[in-house]
Amino acid sequence: MLAKRIIPCLDVTGGRVVKGIRFEKLKDAGDPVEAGKVYDRAGADELVYLDITASSDNRNAWWDLVSRIADNLFIPFTVGGGIRAVEDMRSALRSGADKVSVNTAVILNPALVAECAQHFGSQCVVVAIDARREGDHWVVYSHGGRNRTAKDAVAWAHDVQSQGAGEILLTSMDRDGTRDGFDLDLIAAVTAAVKIPVIASGGCGEKRHFAEAARAGASAMLAASVFHFGDLSIAAVKQYLAEQQIPVRPVLENIYAR
């Protein structure tokens, strides 16, 4: 089994990290560059930065921030939010991002996945899927979780893999920010339908939730508030996973363990 990755997520708006519940009630969580540096030293495997307001008239400011993040990190990071075209992805990569997350744009134009993969390689293309349960299946939402689509989340995951996506960032909107645990049924359904890595997101509140998601098939587990507000450390989570016989990359500097 490949090592499971632990990925803090930093939602950014107005140049600040924020965190909410079910995509609402946002709370300030600090400076994105300084937060990234802390996570880098603390043993995070990767970071995800999402521009959750994605104001198209402020793109230059976002790329400037991405450049400052790249100058201060040694671990890979993904950026997303407002990526609408190949040129947006080029700007993100040129600014220093390792991977780019796309969501609404590929729902509106599925061919964008293949275009980005052809230009930059599948390894750079992360498709984010925001899903909400409806009965016995999950429906995809766009525009930061505001608009319901007609797409089934499991089928959509298979489709974007076929188009050339290299990874899926799978968020349960029902669990986002609740700390009640990941949606294990959703993770299992999507990972059974695709061969590419799936990052589980939405609902983590305890160390055991990371283990549950890993056993459900996730290649990586993403969390925000439990790390941002000091409830858990990267080192503590990795130690717990190792004790559970789930492979992780070692934390070389664990001064942040608690």
Side-chain angles (χ1 to χ4, degrees):
M1 182 187 297
L2 295 175
K4 303 294 185 179
R5 291 168 288 148
I6 305 300
I7 306 177
C9 180
L10 299 97
D11 291 340
V12 179
T13 184
R16 300 289 293 177
V17 178
V18 295
K19 184 55 190 165
I21 299 175
R22 296 189 179 94
F23 289 33
E24 299 178 347
K25 301 178 181 178
L26 301 181
K27 182 189 297 187
D28 187 275
D31 176 77
V33 176
E34 292 304 314
K37 289 163 64 176
V38 169
Y39 286 132
D40 192 336
R41 294 195 302 268
D45 296 302
E46 300 178 20
L47 294 176
V48 171
Y49 284 89
L50 300 177
D51 179 359
I52 62 171
T53 49
S55 174
S56 60
D57 61 0
N58 201 26
R59 288 288 83 192
N60 288 337
W62 176 237
W63 302 139
D64 287 345
L65 176 58
V66 171
S67 294
R68 288 195 288 116
I69 292 167
D71 288 343
N72 284 276
L73 294 188
F74 294 95
I75 57 175
F77 71 99
T78 299
V79 299
I83 306 297
R84 300 180 177 90
V86 168
E87 285 305 314
D88 293 326
M89 186 167 183
R90 179 174 286 108
S91 295
L93 296 174
R94 282 180 173 172
S95 297
D98 297 278
K99 295 183 279 188
V100 177
S101 172
V102 288
N103 188 338
T104 298
V106 297
I107 293 173
L108 300 175
N109 176 24
L112 181 61
V113 178
E115 292 172 10
C116 289
Q118 288 165 8
H119 278 83
F120 311 109
S122 292
Q123 77 282 354
C124 292
V125 183
V126 180
V127 173
I129 299 176
D130 297 331
R132 189 185 295 276
R133 182 187 286 270
E134 292 188 6
D136 60 355
H137 69 292
W138 296 265
V139 174
V140 176
Y141 278 68
S142 66
H143 298 85
R146 293 186 293 276
N147 294 351
R148 182 187 185 279
T149 75
K151 293 184 180 297
D152 174 83
V154 176
W156 179 233
H158 186 271
D159 287 348
V160 298
Q161 174 186 255
S162 300
Q163 290 286 331
E167 195 164 27
I168 290 171
L169 172 54
L170 180 66
T171 299
S172 166
M173 294 179 61
D174 302 297
R175 300 297 183 93
D176 179 70
T178 65
R179 302 196 182 192
D180 292 334
F182 296 101
D183 187 331
L184 303 181
D185 292 337
L186 173 60
I187 295 167
V190 171
T191 56
V194 301
K195 296 180 180 180
I196 58 178
V198 174
I199 304 170
S201 170
C204 184
E206 302 176 27
K207 289 181 286 189
R208 66 180 177 87
H209 293 155
F210 289 90
E212 291 168 353
R215 294 187 177 117
S219 296
M221 287 72 72
L222 180 147
S225 59
V226 292
F227 292 142
H228 296 342
F229 302 124
D231 299 286
L232 293 175
S233 71
I234 304 293
V237 171
K238 287 193 171 185
Q239 180 178 345
Y240 175 81
L241 291 177
E243 291 169 353
Q244 297 295 309
Q245 306 301 309
I246 296 172
V248 291
R249 297 185 180 99
V251 176
L252 299 179
E253 182 179 354
N254 63 357
I255 61 173
Y256 293 90
R258 54 180 291 161

